[in-house]
Amino acid sequence: MLEKYYSSLIDIAMNAKCYMIICKHYIEMNQKYNNVKARYGNANGISFLIAKLIPDISVFVYESINFINSIEDNTIKKAIKEAIPNRYQEDYFNDLKLIRNNIHLYNTYGSYKDKADNIIDSKLDEFKLKNHDLFYLLRNDISLIYKIINNSGLFLGTDYFYNHYLYEVDGSSWTPEQIIKYSSTTSSILFLISTKVADIKVPMIKFKNVELHIEFFDYKSEKLFKNIDIDYTTAFRLILILTELSYISILVDDILESGNLHDANIMWVLFLGKYVATKYDESLDSIENMLKYSKDKAYLQKLFNSNNFKISSLYSRKFGRDLRNMLHFGLKDINKQEYYDISKFDLTKLYLFRTNTDNIEQFISKYLLMRDDMKIIESRIRDVFKIKKLF
């Protein structure tokens, strides 16, 4: 009965197994660095990796469940429901959907002001920073995140990304108990999907045996937004984009041995292609949206469309969008003849077909061009904030 969904199910299983391998490594890293004190800032920042991975896994789990639920009676659907206590099911699936929807770093019709205002305002309230009283200088409402390289810090973003993902869930933030409960449930479902959906083996990928040094620095949002040339709502969105791109760069460049994809297992090439493309496409969507609606259009035009780099004409744009749309596992085509025509494709053929790519060498070439674009965007956003650190 499930044969007609073959290509989508093996894709789901492959992605689940890759996420499981990364998740396990992050947990091991976090345990290793758990008692390591920050050298320059206020806290060790390795936990940033797990905090960033959970929303990404949420996107995958949501889309997988959505696909599985579209299939006629099947044991996978039942196993997923049984993994969640009955009294918690409705709340969990609602939270999962809300967190998944924040994969979007923009609002379709331009306004991001209400969300930015509420997040910023709630943190100012939490840390009592609205009034410049006697203890104002001792308090901070945000954390800047830096990767420490030799004697300098590379700005990765702020902890606003956490509030961005949870904002619609309850308007502010979760308790540690709620975070653990949600993360544990999502991890359990990920494990089920990785073992029950399809019989496919994903080999381990090598991890770099180098010390990754990330730290949090306490900071004031007032100071961050005061030292820039754009409106704070525009800055807020740029910070979210930078955090997303910085995270995926750390995964690909600093954690995984994926420098030469020509030598990597094909399943990891495909998985990383889609993972990276998701960040690429969502970031470009947000930038294009700001170029259309933001008060700072002129500034952004100069930032993102200069020196032989133009957001509007990137060669890898369609490739990234086609890959990103594979997040839905063909669900949008499930009632079309096209879906049944490709339902028996193996993974490589499926990804090449979906991205209109001739062969895996061309796939890797397009992927590398996409990564080059992302590095340029990262660099230009960092230039906006003027908060380089030297130690």
Side-chain angles (χ1 to χ4, degrees):
M1 187 270 291
L2 296 179
E3 287 182 5
K4 64 181 179 181
Y5 305 109
Y6 171 78
S7 63
S8 294
L9 291 175
I10 61 167
D11 192 19
I12 288 172
M14 180 267 287
N15 279 268
K17 289 178 187 292
C18 289
Y19 274 122
M20 284 290 297
I21 290 169
I22 293 171
C23 190
K24 183 181 177 184
H25 184 71
Y26 281 2
I27 292 169
E28 290 172 353
M29 286 180 69
N30 198 47
Q31 290 170 340
K32 177 181 176 182
Y33 292 104
N34 191 37
N35 295 316
V36 176
K37 292 183 179 179
R39 283 185 234 168
Y40 307 103
N42 303 94
N44 186 298
I46 292 296
S47 59
F48 164 65
L49 301 174
I50 295 176
K52 192 62 213 66
L53 182 64
I54 290 297
D56 294 344
I57 290 176
S58 297
V59 173
F60 167 72
V61 166
Y62 174 83
E63 295 294 346
S64 300
I65 291 174
N66 224 15
F67 182 86
I68 290 165
N69 285 342
S70 72
I71 301 174
E72 307 88 273
D73 293 341
N74 64 82
T75 56
I76 308 166
K77 192 188 305 185
K78 184 180 177 183
I80 289 172
K81 280 196 171 183
E82 288 176 348
I84 311 167
N86 286 332
R87 66 183 182 279
Y88 177 49
Q89 278 186 15
E90 186 177 347
D91 288 343
Y92 173 74
F93 286 121
N94 185 53
D95 291 344
L96 179 68
K97 182 177 181 179
L98 290 171
I99 290 173
R100 175 259 178 257
N101 287 344
N102 281 295
I103 186 178
H104 301 303
L105 304 175
Y106 69 100
N107 289 347
T108 305
Y109 299 105
S111 175
Y112 210 82
K113 188 176 185 304
D114 288 347
K115 185 170 188 175
D117 279 345
N118 278 296
I119 289 174
I120 294 167
D121 199 58
S122 67
K123 297 198 83 169
L124 290 173
D125 273 338
E126 181 183 354
F127 294 98
K128 299 179 175 63
L129 282 169
K130 287 188 175 178
N131 297 315
H132 289 210
D133 59 17
L134 184 63
F135 300 103
Y136 174 80
L137 292 176
L138 302 176
R139 294 194 296 262
N140 297 281
D141 59 318
I142 61 172
S143 291
L144 305 185
I145 309 170
Y146 284 87
K147 181 174 77 171
I148 313 299
I149 310 167
N150 297 325
N151 294 318
S152 65
L154 183 70
F155 181 49
L156 307 179
T158 77
D159 57 354
Y160 277 136
F161 79 90
Y162 174 82
N163 305 87
H164 160 74
Y165 278 106
L166 291 185
Y167 175 69
E168 281 86 357
V169 174
D170 66 1
S172 56
S173 61
W174 279 350
T175 63
E177 292 75 19
Q178 285 173 296
I179 295 169
I180 292 169
K181 186 177 182 182
Y182 176 85
S183 301
S184 177
T185 303
T186 305
S187 299
S188 296
I189 295 174
L190 178 67
F191 175 75
L192 272 174
I193 292 171
S194 72
T195 55
K196 302 288 186 183
V197 166
D199 185 16
I200 180 173
K201 292 182 178 180
V202 175
M204 287 292 294
I205 191 169
K206 290 183 179 179
F207 294 94
K208 290 184 177 178
N209 187 27
V210 293
E211 181 179 320
L212 179 61
H213 190 180
I214 300 172
E215 291 191 8
F216 295 114
F217 291 75
D218 290 347
Y219 208 69
K220 289 178 172 61
S221 56
E222 182 182 52
K223 186 176 178 182
L224 177 66
F225 296 131
K226 189 176 181 179
N227 292 335
I228 54 178
D229 302 319
I230 52 176
D231 185 77
Y232 68 93
T233 54
T234 305
F236 184 88
R237 291 177 65 179
L238 289 176
I239 287 173
L240 291 178
I241 293 169
L242 177 62
T243 308
E244 296 292 324
L245 296 183
S246 296
Y247 162 74
I248 206 70
S249 288
I250 287 172
L251 174 64
V252 172
D253 297 337
D254 299 322
I255 296 175
L256 301 178
E257 282 283 5
S258 58
N260 186 358
L261 283 182
H262 300 277
D263 297 331
N265 179 272
I266 188 64
M267 284 185 273
W268 280 98
V269 173
L270 302 176
F271 167 77
L272 289 174
K274 183 161 66 176
Y275 199 0
V276 167
T278 303
K279 305 299 182 187
Y280 179 70
D281 189 57
E282 290 295 341
S283 296
L284 288 178
D285 275 354
S286 188
I287 291 170
E288 288 168 349
N289 181 263
M290 284 189 285
L291 288 170
K292 187 175 181 180
Y293 294 106
S294 172
K295 296 176 183 177
D296 301 292
K297 282 185 275 190
Y299 181 96
L300 294 171
Q301 282 285 357
K302 188 175 180 181
L303 184 69
F304 292 117
N305 290 308
S306 61
N307 299 326
N308 299 317
F309 182 82
K310 290 188 181 297
I311 287 289
S312 58
S313 56
L314 296 177
Y315 175 76
S316 300
R317 186 69 168 104
K318 187 177 185 306
F319 173 75
R321 180 171 289 154
D322 289 342
L323 260 181
R324 179 245 181 255
N325 286 338
M326 288 185 70
L327 280 173
H328 306 294
F329 301 108
L331 186 60
K332 292 182 177 180
D333 306 312
I334 208 160
N335 295 318
K336 299 177 184 178
Q337 184 58 43
E338 179 195 5
Y339 180 83
Y340 297 108
D341 290 343
I342 65 170
S343 61
K344 293 186 179 179
F345 281 6
D346 64 26
L347 279 171
T348 303
K349 190 174 181 181
L350 175 69
Y351 275 70
L352 295 181
F353 176 83
R354 285 294 190 194
T355 58
N356 193 30
T357 306
D358 295 333
N359 51 57
I360 203 63
E361 292 298 316
Q362 191 180 93
F363 184 96
I364 292 173
S365 295
K366 290 180 179 180
Y367 164 89
L368 293 174
L369 287 172
M370 188 168 62
R371 286 288 300 126
D372 288 342
D373 292 344
M374 293 166 77
K375 289 174 184 177
I376 292 171
I377 294 169
E378 278 185 61
S379 177
R380 294 195 177 186
I381 293 177
R382 287 190 183 103
D383 289 341
V384 172
F385 291 97
K386 306 167 188 172
I387 45 176
K388 294 179 181 178
K389 278 191 178 293
L390 296 174
F391 307 109

